[in-house]
Amino acid sequence: MADFDADVGVVGLGAWGSATLWRLAHRGVDVLGFERFEPGHAFGSSHGGSRMFRLSCYEHRGLVALAKLSLDLWRALETAAGVPLLDLCGGLLIGAPEGRMIRETLANARDFDLDVERLDATELKRRFPQHEGVAAGHVGVWEPSAGLLRPEAAVRAAVAVSTRLGARVCRDTRVVRIEPVSGGVVLHTPTRTFRVRRTVLAVGPWCSTFVPRLPLRIIRKPITWFAPEGTPGEFSVDRFPMFKRECGEGRVLWGCGAYDGGDVKLGLEAKGRVPPEIDPEILDRSTSAADWEELGRVVSQAVPGVRPVPTRVSVCMGTHTPDNQFALGPVGGDRRLIVATGESSQGFKHATGIGEFLAQTAVGEAPSLALPFTDPDRFLTEQKI
Ligand SMILES: Cc1cc2nc3c(=O)[nH]c(=O)nc-3n(C[C@H](O)[C@H](O)[C@H](O)COP(=O)(O)OP(=O)(O)OC[C@H]3O[C@@H](n4cnc5c(N)ncnc54)[C@H](O)[C@@H]3O)c2cc1C
């Protein structure tokens, strides 16, 4: 150890970095974590009160095993931290049976023996009457083992448990440069430098600062909450569970009922429309009607029981790769720099499993899961750190 401050440095303690820190500390690895803000903050991608959890992961078949591993580790983290982080209160998908979302969900359920229930239009209407105007021919898929995670609490829990296990954490400490040296890297902060053998770079939307050749698209993502009208309790999360719903013209409405005392959370993905890229250092966090105009129009037709003007808006960042899959692993095969980015709006549920994968990669253990579709080198022809 003589010349090194730690075996592994984890830069960025959002969802993925905090989970990696925990899995390394759990193994007794000498690990140092760096976070430019306070863990659990609202300036990156891991805030907003809730994140959806699903096992059936239509986004890629290879993610089902990762979600299963993550579920076990979420439970382990809850036990270690003594706080509830994941409620398996069920989840609903609504869409065209031949569309990717429904088709791949049902295929995964069949192939991986997941508990899901297909709902025809009549049953959908009976069980979830808050959803109005479902397109003719669309069906529902109910997944009882889906649910909601508490993102801020999860990040804080992972950092707290890691610290208890011996990890050292530098809060409010920005790593400004990563310098490769013999046998490791030097992490430069404004006040001092730290030599580590390996680094896990889990800075999410800020990754391009360090690895500019990864083709990441950073977008501004407002999160919006709406007040229910009408019968009290109609929009509690047990009656209006988390959902994703195809709404025509490539739009997907997503959200969940009132959770942890909040209002109803709703958002819109507009497939095919490419939002402008942003620079995370100069993100505009002010909000205006332009942030919810289209969403409000969709909500007034699809979920008319809520007032279509938000009660609260918070700005988040999304980090997308060209194939909307993660980028996890060493860059150019050099384990001194292991990147973890490209969350592609689906990475929170997998954070603990990703943390385990990255910890195994950092210490040279055989990973419990093969995730070849997340190899960052798929985007790089030649990359040196
Ligand atoms: C609006 C929205 C909704 C989503 N919904 C879901 C969902 O329902 N289900 C789901 O599974 N996923 C969802 N996701 C995706 C999920 O939130 C992300 O996968 C996850 O939060 C990614 O975490 P991260 O650790 O990569 O990034 P971040 O949380 O942004 O963490 C990066 C960290 O690095 C720190 N950092 C940056 N630069 C430095 C530096 N130089 N030095 C030190 N620290 C630094 C930052 O401060 C930050 O804490 C959603 C994403 C968005 C944006």
PDB file of all heavy atoms in Angstrom, residues 91-95 97 102 106 116-128 134 137-143:
ATOM      1  N   GLY A  91     -46.746  -2.963 -10.180  1.00  0.00           N
ATOM      2  CA  GLY A  91     -46.568  -2.004 -11.273  1.00  0.00           C
ATOM      3  C   GLY A  91     -47.355  -2.448 -12.492  1.00  0.00           C
ATOM      4  O   GLY A  91     -47.615  -3.642 -12.687  1.00  0.00           O
ATOM      5  N   LEU A  92     -47.724  -1.471 -13.310  1.00  0.00           N
ATOM      6  CA  LEU A  92     -48.614  -1.698 -14.435  1.00  0.00           C
ATOM      7  C   LEU A  92     -47.986  -1.157 -15.713  1.00  0.00           C
ATOM      8  O   LEU A  92     -47.446  -0.041 -15.709  1.00  0.00           O
ATOM      9  CB  LEU A  92     -49.926  -0.951 -14.135  1.00  0.00           C
ATOM     10  CG  LEU A  92     -51.045  -0.990 -15.170  1.00  0.00           C
ATOM     11  CD1 LEU A  92     -51.593  -2.416 -15.296  1.00  0.00           C
ATOM     12  CD2 LEU A  92     -52.171  -0.039 -14.757  1.00  0.00           C
ATOM     13  N   LEU A  93     -48.074  -1.932 -16.780  1.00  0.00           N
ATOM     14  CA  LEU A  93     -47.686  -1.433 -18.100  1.00  0.00           C
ATOM     15  C   LEU A  93     -48.936  -1.481 -18.972  1.00  0.00           C
ATOM     16  O   LEU A  93     -49.698  -2.467 -18.915  1.00  0.00           O
ATOM     17  CB  LEU A  93     -46.596  -2.298 -18.718  1.00  0.00           C
ATOM     18  CG  LEU A  93     -45.282  -2.411 -17.939  1.00  0.00           C
ATOM     19  CD1 LEU A  93     -44.326  -3.372 -18.632  1.00  0.00           C
ATOM     20  CD2 LEU A  93     -44.624  -1.032 -17.781  1.00  0.00           C
ATOM     21  N   ILE A  94     -49.151  -0.444 -19.768  1.00  0.00           N
ATOM     22  CA  ILE A  94     -50.313  -0.418 -20.665  1.00  0.00           C
ATOM     23  C   ILE A  94     -49.808  -0.077 -22.065  1.00  0.00           C
ATOM     24  O   ILE A  94     -49.088   0.921 -22.238  1.00  0.00           O
ATOM     25  CB  ILE A  94     -51.343   0.649 -20.221  1.00  0.00           C
ATOM     26  CG1 ILE A  94     -51.800   0.395 -18.776  1.00  0.00           C
ATOM     27  CG2 ILE A  94     -52.555   0.658 -21.167  1.00  0.00           C
ATOM     28  CD1 ILE A  94     -52.701   1.486 -18.207  1.00  0.00           C
ATOM     29  N   GLY A  95     -50.171  -0.895 -23.041  1.00  0.00           N
ATOM     30  CA  GLY A  95     -49.705  -0.599 -24.396  1.00  0.00           C
ATOM     31  C   GLY A  95     -50.216  -1.611 -25.403  1.00  0.00           C
ATOM     32  O   GLY A  95     -51.014  -2.505 -25.083  1.00  0.00           O
ATOM     33  N   PRO A  97     -50.215  -4.798 -27.625  1.00  0.00           N
ATOM     34  CA  PRO A  97     -49.639  -6.118 -27.371  1.00  0.00           C
ATOM     35  C   PRO A  97     -48.433  -6.424 -28.266  1.00  0.00           C
ATOM     36  O   PRO A  97     -47.531  -7.140 -27.865  1.00  0.00           O
ATOM     37  CB  PRO A  97     -50.788  -7.094 -27.650  1.00  0.00           C
ATOM     38  CG  PRO A  97     -51.969  -6.286 -28.036  1.00  0.00           C
ATOM     39  CD  PRO A  97     -51.629  -4.841 -27.994  1.00  0.00           C
ATOM     40  N   ILE A 102     -44.802  -4.237 -24.123  1.00  0.00           N
ATOM     41  CA  ILE A 102     -45.652  -5.351 -23.688  1.00  0.00           C
ATOM     42  C   ILE A 102     -45.077  -6.685 -24.170  1.00  0.00           C
ATOM     43  O   ILE A 102     -44.979  -7.654 -23.414  1.00  0.00           O
ATOM     44  CB  ILE A 102     -47.094  -5.171 -24.225  1.00  0.00           C
ATOM     45  CG1 ILE A 102     -47.713  -3.878 -23.664  1.00  0.00           C
ATOM     46  CG2 ILE A 102     -47.953  -6.393 -23.924  1.00  0.00           C
ATOM     47  CD1 ILE A 102     -47.994  -3.873 -22.193  1.00  0.00           C
ATOM     48  N   LEU A 106     -43.763  -9.637 -21.589  1.00  0.00           N
ATOM     49  CA  LEU A 106     -44.389 -10.956 -21.520  1.00  0.00           C
ATOM     50  C   LEU A 106     -43.382 -12.054 -21.887  1.00  0.00           C
ATOM     51  O   LEU A 106     -43.379 -13.130 -21.278  1.00  0.00           O
ATOM     52  CB  LEU A 106     -45.618 -11.006 -22.439  1.00  0.00           C
ATOM     53  CG  LEU A 106     -46.797 -10.132 -21.958  1.00  0.00           C
ATOM     54  CD1 LEU A 106     -47.919 -10.110 -22.998  1.00  0.00           C
ATOM     55  CD2 LEU A 106     -47.336 -10.611 -20.612  1.00  0.00           C
ATOM     56  N   VAL A 116     -46.461 -12.303 -13.735  1.00  0.00           N
ATOM     57  CA  VAL A 116     -47.164 -11.164 -14.336  1.00  0.00           C
ATOM     58  C   VAL A 116     -48.563 -11.607 -14.741  1.00  0.00           C
ATOM     59  O   VAL A 116     -48.806 -12.802 -14.946  1.00  0.00           O
ATOM     60  CB  VAL A 116     -46.463 -10.558 -15.586  1.00  0.00           C
ATOM     61  CG1 VAL A 116     -45.078 -10.051 -15.281  1.00  0.00           C
ATOM     62  CG2 VAL A 116     -46.441 -11.545 -16.744  1.00  0.00           C
ATOM     63  N   GLU A 117     -49.450 -10.647 -14.867  1.00  0.00           N
ATOM     64  CA  GLU A 117     -50.826 -10.956 -15.240  1.00  0.00           C
ATOM     65  C   GLU A 117     -51.201 -10.047 -16.408  1.00  0.00           C
ATOM     66  O   GLU A 117     -51.044  -8.824 -16.320  1.00  0.00           O
ATOM     67  CB  GLU A 117     -51.694 -10.634 -14.018  1.00  0.00           C
ATOM     68  CG  GLU A 117     -53.111 -11.087 -14.105  1.00  0.00           C
ATOM     69  CD  GLU A 117     -53.890 -10.626 -12.870  1.00  0.00           C
ATOM     70  OE1 GLU A 117     -53.289 -10.119 -11.903  1.00  0.00           O
ATOM     71  OE2 GLU A 117     -55.112 -10.739 -12.909  1.00  0.00           O
ATOM     72  N   ARG A 118     -51.683 -10.645 -17.470  1.00  0.00           N
ATOM     73  CA  ARG A 118     -52.126  -9.843 -18.623  1.00  0.00           C
ATOM     74  C   ARG A 118     -53.585  -9.448 -18.407  1.00  0.00           C
ATOM     75  O   ARG A 118     -54.418 -10.295 -18.063  1.00  0.00           O
ATOM     76  CB  ARG A 118     -51.976 -10.679 -19.898  1.00  0.00           C
ATOM     77  CG  ARG A 118     -52.312  -9.900 -21.144  1.00  0.00           C
ATOM     78  CD  ARG A 118     -52.093 -10.758 -22.369  1.00  0.00           C
ATOM     79  NE  ARG A 118     -52.935 -10.265 -23.445  1.00  0.00           N
ATOM     80  CZ  ARG A 118     -52.555 -10.133 -24.699  1.00  0.00           C
ATOM     81  NH1 ARG A 118     -51.359 -10.457 -25.057  1.00  0.00           N
ATOM     82  NH2 ARG A 118     -53.387  -9.686 -25.598  1.00  0.00           N
ATOM     83  N   LEU A 119     -53.874  -8.156 -18.583  1.00  0.00           N
ATOM     84  CA  LEU A 119     -55.229  -7.650 -18.339  1.00  0.00           C
ATOM     85  C   LEU A 119     -55.826  -7.173 -19.660  1.00  0.00           C
ATOM     86  O   LEU A 119     -55.206  -6.352 -20.351  1.00  0.00           O
ATOM     87  CB  LEU A 119     -55.187  -6.463 -17.370  1.00  0.00           C
ATOM     88  CG  LEU A 119     -54.391  -6.644 -16.064  1.00  0.00           C
ATOM     89  CD1 LEU A 119     -54.374  -5.344 -15.275  1.00  0.00           C
ATOM     90  CD2 LEU A 119     -54.986  -7.764 -15.228  1.00  0.00           C
ATOM     91  N   ASP A 120     -57.022  -7.651 -19.972  1.00  0.00           N
ATOM     92  CA  ASP A 120     -57.673  -7.118 -21.171  1.00  0.00           C
ATOM     93  C   ASP A 120     -58.312  -5.765 -20.822  1.00  0.00           C
ATOM     94  O   ASP A 120     -58.296  -5.340 -19.662  1.00  0.00           O
ATOM     95  CB  ASP A 120     -58.685  -8.111 -21.759  1.00  0.00           C
ATOM     96  CG  ASP A 120     -59.850  -8.392 -20.807  1.00  0.00           C
ATOM     97  OD1 ASP A 120     -60.085  -7.592 -19.881  1.00  0.00           O
ATOM     98  OD2 ASP A 120     -60.507  -9.435 -20.989  1.00  0.00           O
ATOM     99  N   ALA A 121     -58.872  -5.110 -21.829  1.00  0.00           N
ATOM    100  CA  ALA A 121     -59.357  -3.739 -21.629  1.00  0.00           C
ATOM    101  C   ALA A 121     -60.412  -3.654 -20.517  1.00  0.00           C
ATOM    102  O   ALA A 121     -60.416  -2.723 -19.703  1.00  0.00           O
ATOM    103  CB  ALA A 121     -59.920  -3.209 -22.945  1.00  0.00           C
ATOM    104  N   THR A 122     -61.285  -4.666 -20.436  1.00  0.00           N
ATOM    105  CA  THR A 122     -62.348  -4.642 -19.434  1.00  0.00           C
ATOM    106  C   THR A 122     -61.762  -4.746 -18.021  1.00  0.00           C
ATOM    107  O   THR A 122     -62.122  -3.991 -17.100  1.00  0.00           O
ATOM    108  CB  THR A 122     -63.325  -5.828 -19.673  1.00  0.00           C
ATOM    109  OG1 THR A 122     -63.644  -5.844 -21.055  1.00  0.00           O
ATOM    110  CG2 THR A 122     -64.563  -5.721 -18.841  1.00  0.00           C
ATOM    111  N   GLU A 123     -60.847  -5.669 -17.856  1.00  0.00           N
ATOM    112  CA  GLU A 123     -60.234  -5.885 -16.545  1.00  0.00           C
ATOM    113  C   GLU A 123     -59.374  -4.669 -16.137  1.00  0.00           C
ATOM    114  O   GLU A 123     -59.352  -4.252 -14.974  1.00  0.00           O
ATOM    115  CB  GLU A 123     -59.386  -7.166 -16.615  1.00  0.00           C
ATOM    116  CG  GLU A 123     -58.811  -7.632 -15.306  1.00  0.00           C
ATOM    117  CD  GLU A 123     -59.845  -7.968 -14.232  1.00  0.00           C
ATOM    118  OE1 GLU A 123     -61.066  -7.908 -14.510  1.00  0.00           O
ATOM    119  OE2 GLU A 123     -59.433  -8.230 -13.092  1.00  0.00           O
ATOM    120  N   LEU A 124     -58.706  -4.109 -17.123  1.00  0.00           N
ATOM    121  CA  LEU A 124     -57.881  -2.914 -16.881  1.00  0.00           C
ATOM    122  C   LEU A 124     -58.757  -1.775 -16.356  1.00  0.00           C
ATOM    123  O   LEU A 124     -58.439  -1.108 -15.365  1.00  0.00           O
ATOM    124  CB  LEU A 124     -57.228  -2.531 -18.205  1.00  0.00           C
ATOM    125  CG  LEU A 124     -56.128  -1.496 -18.226  1.00  0.00           C
ATOM    126  CD1 LEU A 124     -54.994  -1.869 -17.297  1.00  0.00           C
ATOM    127  CD2 LEU A 124     -55.591  -1.355 -19.658  1.00  0.00           C
ATOM    128  N   LYS A 125     -59.861  -1.573 -17.001  1.00  0.00           N
ATOM    129  CA  LYS A 125     -60.793  -0.494 -16.640  1.00  0.00           C
ATOM    130  C   LYS A 125     -61.374  -0.748 -15.243  1.00  0.00           C
ATOM    131  O   LYS A 125     -61.534   0.162 -14.433  1.00  0.00           O
ATOM    132  CB  LYS A 125     -61.922  -0.481 -17.701  1.00  0.00           C
ATOM    133  CG  LYS A 125     -62.973   0.572 -17.510  1.00  0.00           C
ATOM    134  CD  LYS A 125     -62.495   1.867 -18.103  1.00  0.00           C
ATOM    135  CE  LYS A 125     -63.431   3.000 -17.782  1.00  0.00           C
ATOM    136  NZ  LYS A 125     -62.781   4.281 -17.724  1.00  0.00           N
ATOM    137  N   ARG A 126     -61.669  -2.022 -14.948  1.00  0.00           N
ATOM    138  CA  ARG A 126     -62.268  -2.354 -13.645  1.00  0.00           C
ATOM    139  C   ARG A 126     -61.270  -2.114 -12.516  1.00  0.00           C
ATOM    140  O   ARG A 126     -61.602  -1.524 -11.498  1.00  0.00           O
ATOM    141  CB  ARG A 126     -62.705  -3.830 -13.662  1.00  0.00           C
ATOM    142  CG  ARG A 126     -63.542  -4.236 -12.449  1.00  0.00           C
ATOM    143  CD  ARG A 126     -63.857  -5.722 -12.464  1.00  0.00           C
ATOM    144  NE  ARG A 126     -62.709  -6.570 -12.195  1.00  0.00           N
ATOM    145  CZ  ARG A 126     -62.140  -6.754 -11.002  1.00  0.00           C
ATOM    146  NH1 ARG A 126     -62.632  -6.157  -9.945  1.00  0.00           N
ATOM    147  NH2 ARG A 126     -61.084  -7.544 -10.873  1.00  0.00           N
ATOM    148  N   ARG A 127     -60.023  -2.532 -12.733  1.00  0.00           N
ATOM    149  CA  ARG A 127     -59.048  -2.450 -11.637  1.00  0.00           C
ATOM    150  C   ARG A 127     -58.371  -1.100 -11.536  1.00  0.00           C
ATOM    151  O   ARG A 127     -57.957  -0.691 -10.457  1.00  0.00           O
ATOM    152  CB  ARG A 127     -58.010  -3.553 -11.803  1.00  0.00           C
ATOM    153  CG  ARG A 127     -58.670  -4.866 -11.414  1.00  0.00           C
ATOM    154  CD  ARG A 127     -57.866  -6.078 -11.536  1.00  0.00           C
ATOM    155  NE  ARG A 127     -56.487  -6.088 -11.105  1.00  0.00           N
ATOM    156  CZ  ARG A 127     -55.703  -7.145 -11.290  1.00  0.00           C
ATOM    157  NH1 ARG A 127     -56.181  -8.229 -11.859  1.00  0.00           N
ATOM    158  NH2 ARG A 127     -54.450  -7.128 -10.896  1.00  0.00           N
ATOM    159  N   PHE A 128     -58.236  -0.409 -12.666  1.00  0.00           N
ATOM    160  CA  PHE A 128     -57.511   0.870 -12.640  1.00  0.00           C
ATOM    161  C   PHE A 128     -58.322   1.939 -13.374  1.00  0.00           C
ATOM    162  O   PHE A 128     -57.919   2.449 -14.424  1.00  0.00           O
ATOM    163  CB  PHE A 128     -56.121   0.693 -13.273  1.00  0.00           C
ATOM    164  CG  PHE A 128     -55.311  -0.376 -12.588  1.00  0.00           C
ATOM    165  CD1 PHE A 128     -55.121  -1.618 -13.177  1.00  0.00           C
ATOM    166  CD2 PHE A 128     -54.788  -0.151 -11.316  1.00  0.00           C
ATOM    167  CE1 PHE A 128     -54.414  -2.612 -12.525  1.00  0.00           C
ATOM    168  CE2 PHE A 128     -54.067  -1.151 -10.657  1.00  0.00           C
ATOM    169  CZ  PHE A 128     -53.880  -2.383 -11.256  1.00  0.00           C
ATOM    170  N   VAL A 134     -57.924   4.559 -22.660  1.00  0.00           N
ATOM    171  CA  VAL A 134     -56.890   3.627 -23.130  1.00  0.00           C
ATOM    172  C   VAL A 134     -57.221   3.253 -24.579  1.00  0.00           C
ATOM    173  O   VAL A 134     -58.380   2.952 -24.900  1.00  0.00           O
ATOM    174  CB  VAL A 134     -56.852   2.364 -22.224  1.00  0.00           C
ATOM    175  CG1 VAL A 134     -55.949   1.288 -22.816  1.00  0.00           C
ATOM    176  CG2 VAL A 134     -56.397   2.744 -20.817  1.00  0.00           C
ATOM    177  N   GLY A 137     -57.617  -1.865 -28.258  1.00  0.00           N
ATOM    178  CA  GLY A 137     -56.642  -2.916 -28.544  1.00  0.00           C
ATOM    179  C   GLY A 137     -55.471  -2.944 -27.564  1.00  0.00           C
ATOM    180  O   GLY A 137     -54.719  -3.920 -27.519  1.00  0.00           O
ATOM    181  N   HIS A 138     -55.273  -1.885 -26.777  1.00  0.00           N
ATOM    182  CA  HIS A 138     -54.168  -1.909 -25.823  1.00  0.00           C
ATOM    183  C   HIS A 138     -54.527  -2.803 -24.635  1.00  0.00           C
ATOM    184  O   HIS A 138     -55.701  -2.947 -24.280  1.00  0.00           O
ATOM    185  CB  HIS A 138     -53.859  -0.486 -25.331  1.00  0.00           C
ATOM    186  CG  HIS A 138     -53.014   0.278 -26.311  1.00  0.00           C
ATOM    187  ND1 HIS A 138     -52.309   1.413 -25.984  1.00  0.00           N
ATOM    188  CD2 HIS A 138     -52.754   0.046 -27.624  1.00  0.00           C
ATOM    189  CE1 HIS A 138     -51.667   1.853 -27.052  1.00  0.00           C
ATOM    190  NE2 HIS A 138     -51.925   1.051 -28.064  1.00  0.00           N
ATOM    191  N   VAL A 139     -53.507  -3.380 -24.034  1.00  0.00           N
ATOM    192  CA  VAL A 139     -53.717  -4.287 -22.901  1.00  0.00           C
ATOM    193  C   VAL A 139     -52.860  -3.821 -21.726  1.00  0.00           C
ATOM    194  O   VAL A 139     -51.969  -2.964 -21.876  1.00  0.00           O
ATOM    195  CB  VAL A 139     -53.323  -5.742 -23.262  1.00  0.00           C
ATOM    196  CG1 VAL A 139     -54.195  -6.259 -24.399  1.00  0.00           C
ATOM    197  CG2 VAL A 139     -51.842  -5.829 -23.624  1.00  0.00           C
ATOM    198  N   GLY A 140     -53.119  -4.405 -20.570  1.00  0.00           N
ATOM    199  CA  GLY A 140     -52.292  -4.115 -19.395  1.00  0.00           C
ATOM    200  C   GLY A 140     -51.479  -5.337 -19.015  1.00  0.00           C
ATOM    201  O   GLY A 140     -51.854  -6.472 -19.326  1.00  0.00           O
ATOM    202  N   VAL A 141     -50.324  -5.085 -18.379  1.00  0.00           N
ATOM    203  CA  VAL A 141     -49.579  -6.177 -17.746  1.00  0.00           C
ATOM    204  C   VAL A 141     -49.319  -5.744 -16.312  1.00  0.00           C
ATOM    205  O   VAL A 141     -48.690  -4.701 -16.071  1.00  0.00           O
ATOM    206  CB  VAL A 141     -48.240  -6.470 -18.467  1.00  0.00           C
ATOM    207  CG1 VAL A 141     -47.464  -7.539 -17.697  1.00  0.00           C
ATOM    208  CG2 VAL A 141     -48.482  -6.928 -19.897  1.00  0.00           C
ATOM    209  N   TRP A 142     -49.846  -6.518 -15.381  1.00  0.00           N
ATOM    210  CA  TRP A 142     -49.681  -6.227 -13.958  1.00  0.00           C
ATOM    211  C   TRP A 142     -48.557  -7.093 -13.413  1.00  0.00           C
ATOM    212  O   TRP A 142     -48.552  -8.315 -13.593  1.00  0.00           O
ATOM    213  CB  TRP A 142     -50.998  -6.520 -13.218  1.00  0.00           C
ATOM    214  CG  TRP A 142     -50.897  -6.466 -11.736  1.00  0.00           C
ATOM    215  CD1 TRP A 142     -51.034  -7.504 -10.865  1.00  0.00           C
ATOM    216  CD2 TRP A 142     -50.640  -5.295 -10.933  1.00  0.00           C
ATOM    217  NE1 TRP A 142     -50.888  -7.068  -9.581  1.00  0.00           N
ATOM    218  CE2 TRP A 142     -50.630  -5.723  -9.590  1.00  0.00           C
ATOM    219  CE3 TRP A 142     -50.410  -3.950 -11.228  1.00  0.00           C
ATOM    220  CZ2 TRP A 142     -50.401  -4.839  -8.528  1.00  0.00           C
ATOM    221  CZ3 TRP A 142     -50.179  -3.072 -10.178  1.00  0.00           C
ATOM    222  CH2 TRP A 142     -50.180  -3.515  -8.855  1.00  0.00           C
ATOM    223  N   GLU A 143     -47.575  -6.450 -12.788  1.00  0.00           N
ATOM    224  CA  GLU A 143     -46.436  -7.181 -12.215  1.00  0.00           C
ATOM    225  C   GLU A 143     -46.437  -6.938 -10.714  1.00  0.00           C
ATOM    226  O   GLU A 143     -46.034  -5.863 -10.249  1.00  0.00           O
ATOM    227  CB  GLU A 143     -45.122  -6.694 -12.852  1.00  0.00           C
ATOM    228  CG  GLU A 143     -43.922  -7.472 -12.351  1.00  0.00           C
ATOM    229  CD  GLU A 143     -42.599  -7.048 -13.001  1.00  0.00           C
ATOM    230  OE1 GLU A 143     -42.612  -6.394 -14.052  1.00  0.00           O
ATOM    231  OE2 GLU A 143     -41.557  -7.372 -12.409  1.00  0.00           O
TER     232      GLU A 143
END
